[in-house]
Amino acid sequence: MEHIYSYHHLREFTREVFIHMGCSLEHAALASEVLVAADLRGIDSHGVARLSGYVRLWEAGRINAKPDIRIVHETPSTAVVDGDGGLGLVVAPYAMEVAMQKAASVGTGWVSVKHSNHFGIAGYHAMKALEQDMIGMAMTNASPLVAPTFAKERMLGTNPIAVAIPAKEQPPFVADFATTTAANGKLEILQRKNEEAPYGWIQDTEGNSSTNPHELRSGGALLPLGGDREHGSHKGYCLGAIVDIFSAVLSGANYGPWAPPFVSFLPLAPDPVGEGLGHFFGAMRVDAFRPADEFKSHMDTWISRFRAAVPVEGKQVLIPGDPEREMQHHRLENGIPVLEPVIRDMKEVAAKFNLNF
């Protein structure tokens, strides 16, 4: 069971919640924009379904509503940003802006972040670079829910990677994906719908493949992209590890099994190796490599040719970013579906702050 809400209704409600958490008007507006961008693009696992989780983290003292976000180390093309425990939804845009400013100055900009929290969808941050004819990159480490290939222990997060590349007449190329077979949020959606998970998504405590979407609560783990060794899970493991190192080892955030959990009822790992959660951002000015207009024309050619690839029967060849772009257009016009369990969470949050939903 689901109900339809307008983008503006969901964004305004989340903005009010962040204000009542103590965020500034500017930060609340930005955080709500980033959060609801996930619902708009069809990534329901990272949108308003996460709102109650942010509130609980704030209540537990794990989110600073008034952070002093600042650069703590930099060179002409690099920086480390300390998020001061703030909402990742606010810290990440700050860091991406720093990366773009450095790219504007010297051609490329690279920013690693520590002491942050969950930052919404990676694609939102990577796409900011498109506005300035830049290629954008965004990644983050996350709650340790993933077992490396051949392991029973949860060591990595879903650790997404996003890359946004501008084109001329064609829409931009936007890849945004978890380095696991499926993101944890997709399991949460299956739980709400009382549906089983496909094989290759999760394993039980003994490392056996499972279809129980509640397996993580029993000590099971998500699987790296590929699912098992025979289908390339070692490559997904490598991708997740790269994200963890770039986001956290490089910045001074917690990495691997020390990454702080998103859910407030799980304790922080003892003897932390860093500060908070980590992110990594990159911006590359296209004209640092070749004239931007020339590059974008060739991206049009690339995209057009791939679209024209001969499809298998009954299928259509897509370009990364196509499904999300089409979903955004549809949901702006027709509204965003919200599942009943998420609505109940939203109403509980509304009651907590004496708001209407």
Side-chain angles (χ1 to χ4, degrees):
M1 186 68 179
E2 61 187 26
H3 298 274
I4 305 297
Y5 295 89
S6 73
Y7 164 74
H8 298 289
H9 177 82
L10 293 178
R11 184 174 170 184
E12 180 60 22
F13 175 74
T14 56
R15 187 184 75 89
E16 288 295 321
V17 169
F18 289 130
I19 288 172
H20 279 73
M21 284 169 55
C23 296
S24 69
L25 296 179
E26 179 184 3
H27 281 186
L30 177 58
S32 63
E33 177 185 327
V34 177
L35 188 66
V36 184
D39 297 291
L40 202 57
R41 293 177 65 78
I43 310 172
D44 299 334
S45 57
H46 284 56
V48 294
R50 294 277 183 182
L51 183 61
S52 61
Y54 288 108
V55 173
R56 286 190 288 269
L57 283 176
W58 169 72
E59 290 175 324
R62 296 188 191 177
I63 285 180
N64 178 8
K66 297 185 182 297
D68 176 21
I69 307 167
R70 62 198 185 280
I71 296 171
V72 293
H73 177 75
E74 65 179 324
T75 72
S77 63
T78 67
V80 175
V81 166
D82 185 330
D84 195 27
L87 284 165
L89 303 167
V90 172
V91 176
Y94 174 96
M96 189 63 196
E97 183 62 34
V98 172
M100 291 190 294
Q101 288 173 359
K102 289 184 175 294
S105 176
V106 298
T108 67
W110 307 95
V111 178
S112 201
V113 179
K114 65 177 180 177
H115 209 183
S116 187
N117 281 283
H118 192 278
F119 75 1
I121 55 171
Y124 175 92
H125 309 296
M127 289 172 66
K128 295 302 290 183
L130 299 174
E131 301 168 5
Q132 299 184 30
D133 274 351
M134 295 181 185
I135 294 170
M137 297 176 59
M139 55 188 79
T140 183
N141 71 343
S143 309
L145 299 172
V146 183
T149 301
F150 301 140
K152 295 181 183 180
E153 190 176 359
R154 305 197 298 205
M155 299 289 289
L156 290 169
T158 53
N159 294 10
I161 299 171
V163 178
I165 304 173
K168 192 173 184 179
E169 302 298 332
Q170 292 286 346
F173 174 109
V174 182
D176 183 2
F177 58 96
T179 53
T180 49
T181 305
N184 181 44
K186 291 189 176 180
L187 283 185
E188 294 171 348
I189 291 173
L190 292 177
Q191 292 165 13
R192 297 181 189 115
K193 292 182 175 180
N194 292 315
E195 296 176 0
E196 288 192 336
Y199 278 106
W201 282 25
I202 44 178
Q203 67 181 29
D204 63 19
T205 53
E206 295 303 311
N208 303 306
S209 187
S210 171
T211 60
N212 178 8
H214 299 277
E215 198 70 67
L216 297 184
R217 297 179 183 176
S218 304
L222 291 170
L223 293 170
L225 186 63
D228 56 35
R229 178 64 174 78
E230 289 70 26
H231 293 91
S233 68
H234 56 296
K235 298 176 183 179
Y237 167 31
C238 287
L239 286 171
I242 290 167
V243 173
D244 198 40
I245 294 166
F246 277 29
S247 299
V249 180
L250 200 58
S251 68
N254 289 293
Y255 47 82
W258 291 279
F262 180 74
V263 290
S264 61
F265 59 82
L266 289 178
L268 296 171
D271 304 317
V273 291
E275 296 178 273
L277 211 60
H279 317 310
F280 186 80
F281 303 96
M284 295 182 284
R285 214 174 66 215
V286 168
D287 66 3
F289 298 89
R290 67 187 299 188
D293 199 57
E294 181 180 287
F295 170 83
K296 292 193 292 183
S297 291
H298 278 280
M299 277 304 301
D300 281 356
T301 302
W302 191 97
I303 291 169
S304 298
R305 181 61 186 91
F306 273 75
R307 285 197 199 284
V310 179
V312 299
E313 186 175 354
K315 298 294 184 180
Q316 177 186 358
V317 179
L318 300 173
I319 302 301
D322 281 352
E324 295 87 353
R325 177 175 49 81
E326 292 170 8
M327 183 64 76
Q328 178 168 323
H329 177 75
H330 174 79
R331 289 187 169 183
L332 275 174
E333 286 196 352
N334 301 288
I336 297 170
V338 181
L339 293 171
E340 189 64 42
V342 177
I343 294 172
R344 287 198 296 269
D345 280 351
M346 301 274 275
K347 288 182 176 178
E348 288 180 10
V349 170
K352 189 186 300 288
F353 294 118
N354 197 27
L355 298 170
N356 293 317
F357 178 71

